[in-house]
Amino acid sequence: MNLRQLEFFKMLADTEHMTQAAKLLNTTQPNLSHAMSELEKELEAQLFEKIGRNIQLTKYGKFFYKYVNTALSELSKGERALKDLVSPDKGLIDFGFIYTAGSFLAPMLLKEFSAREGNSQIRFNLFQGNSSDMMDLLLREEVDLAITSKLKEDKQLHYDILTEDEVVLIVPPNHPLAQYDQISLKETAGYPFVYFNKRSGLRPYIDKILSTSNVEPEIVCEVEEDHSMLGFVAHGFGIALMPSIPSISSYQVKAIRLIDNSQPRYIYLATKKEHFLSPAAIRFKEFILLFTQGYFNDFEH
């Protein structure tokens, strides 16, 4: 049994006329007759019977018709839905981003992209998490592209640099270090730290810059994302190193610039190398790379 046989069966059942059905199917009458004969042999049931010059379904054919009609209808719906998904103008993009990007970069990119001509009907499924989550989602092909940091090299993933992220020290307003506007990393030694957990893309970066400054942090608690870190620092649990994001100003903390951190921390757009990208997803990827290049160059100047 194949799809063509089922399409033949439905057309013949609907028209109840062999010659008319063959014409509508763009096939010959002998070909249609042979296909129905083979289908009946496979099903071991008579599906049609002749009534004068016409043909009609037997009771077994009527029983089978309900399932064929439903199946072909669902296939047609699936075909239309799939075409919408991969449409350049109405596609659906699965887009992931790390927590740090959720307060500014990701929403800015979606707003700017959707405002461009021809993009207003493109829809998004959004996924947020840490860098480990983004890597897992990309490898499982549950997202098409993701804004993330790079935990490690992976031969299956491709990374494009979007921007360099400034990392700052945040402290409670009454902390001894709060008197400074800029500070060296070595001056953080001896103070308790609120730290990113091991699934965060920031964890190996912060480990590295503290180690370079010969600082062994006293970690009092580990968190997964930026706003939890800000909340714990604001309540006096410790100091922390984190990206300089706009929402820092919403918390009772002070952000202090680092004067001796020479290790750049990059934010990337990552995709899976062998993953099929729809025309809409390709358009969005190209937009992100071009827009961020211009935006951050202008911002730096």
Side-chain angles (χ1 to χ4, degrees):
M1 186 187 307
N2 56 51
L3 180 60
R4 191 65 172 155
Q5 284 178 312
L6 297 181
E7 291 172 339
F8 280 12
F9 168 78
K10 184 177 184 305
M11 183 62 75
L12 186 55
D14 289 341
T15 60
E16 296 185 336
H17 197 281
M18 185 71 73
T19 303
Q20 184 182 353
K23 185 177 180 180
L24 291 171
L25 290 165
N26 196 28
T27 189
T28 64
Q29 185 173 328
N31 190 33
L32 175 58
S33 180
H34 175 73
M36 292 304 92
S37 176
E38 291 298 308
L39 182 60
E40 287 179 330
K41 287 179 183 178
E42 184 174 349
L43 294 173
E44 298 181 349
Q46 184 179 343
L47 302 175
F48 295 97
E49 57 187 357
K50 281 190 174 183
I51 304 295
R53 292 185 176 182
N54 292 337
I55 192 169
Q56 69 179 27
L57 291 169
T58 66
K59 67 175 184 179
Y60 305 109
K62 291 176 182 177
F63 175 85
F64 187 54
Y65 179 87
K66 293 183 293 183
Y67 293 94
V68 172
N69 189 49
T70 299
L72 292 178
S73 176
E74 288 300 306
L75 282 172
S76 180
K77 289 179 185 177
E79 181 182 5
R80 291 194 299 272
L82 180 59
K83 286 180 178 178
D84 279 346
L85 281 178
V86 299
S87 165
D89 302 316
K90 296 190 296 182
L92 178 66
I93 300 171
D94 294 314
F95 178 45
F97 48 91
I98 52 176
Y99 293 114
T100 304
S103 62
F104 175 70
L105 183 56
M108 177 190 68
L109 289 172
L110 261 67
K111 181 179 180 180
E112 292 290 338
F113 176 76
S114 298
R116 301 296 172 94
E117 184 177 356
N119 295 343
S120 61
Q121 295 188 65
I122 294 176
R123 296 165 293 127
F124 289 87
N125 279 333
L126 302 180
F127 300 80
Q128 190 174 23
N130 55 39
S131 294
S132 293
D133 296 330
M134 293 304 107
M135 180 178 287
D136 292 343
L137 289 168
L138 285 164
L139 292 175
R140 296 200 304 267
E141 300 190 355
E142 293 182 26
V143 298
D144 297 309
L145 57 169
I147 296 174
T148 182
S149 55
K150 189 191 295 186
L151 288 172
K152 59 182 179 180
E153 292 293 339
D154 190 302
K155 293 181 179 180
Q156 298 183 72
L157 300 179
H158 175 77
Y159 292 89
D160 289 293
I161 295 176
L162 296 183
T163 183
E164 185 177 339
D165 215 4
E166 181 185 12
V167 171
V168 295
L169 179 73
I170 58 169
V171 302
N174 58 352
H175 194 274
L177 297 179
Q179 62 182 302
Y180 302 107
D181 294 323
Q182 54 185 11
I183 199 170
S184 66
L185 282 165
K186 64 183 180 181
E187 292 178 83
T188 65
Y191 293 106
F193 270 82
V194 180
Y195 223 67
F196 285 107
N197 66 25
K198 292 182 179 180
R199 285 186 61 82
S200 169
L202 279 156
R203 176 64 175 257
Y205 172 81
I206 293 173
D207 284 345
K208 183 177 181 179
I209 63 174
L210 288 177
S211 176
T212 301
S213 297
N214 297 313
V215 176
E216 186 173 343
E218 176 195 344
I219 301 173
V220 294
C221 63
E222 296 183 2
V223 298
E224 184 173 349
E225 52 86 34
D226 310 284
H227 292 279
S228 295
M229 177 166 281
L230 286 164
F232 276 87
V233 171
H235 284 82
F237 280 79
I239 63 176
L241 291 165
M242 65 173 291
S244 179
I245 58 176
S247 50
I248 288 178
S249 61
S250 301
Y251 291 81
Q252 292 296 309
V253 299
K254 180 176 181 180
I256 305 172
R257 298 196 69 179
L258 303 175
I259 60 176
D260 59 347
N261 178 22
S262 60
Q263 302 289 332
R265 194 249 174 175
Y266 294 115
I267 299 297
Y268 300 86
L269 182 67
T271 53
K272 188 178 180 185
K273 291 179 180 177
E274 302 301 323
H275 175 57
F276 167 78
L277 288 180
S278 69
I282 292 172
R283 183 189 294 185
F284 185 50
K285 178 183 178 180
E286 291 174 348
F287 165 81
I288 290 175
L289 296 177
L290 187 62
F291 181 85
T292 52
Q293 182 181 23
Y295 179 86
F296 289 112
N297 283 343
D298 291 343
F299 185 78
E300 289 171 3
H301 293 91

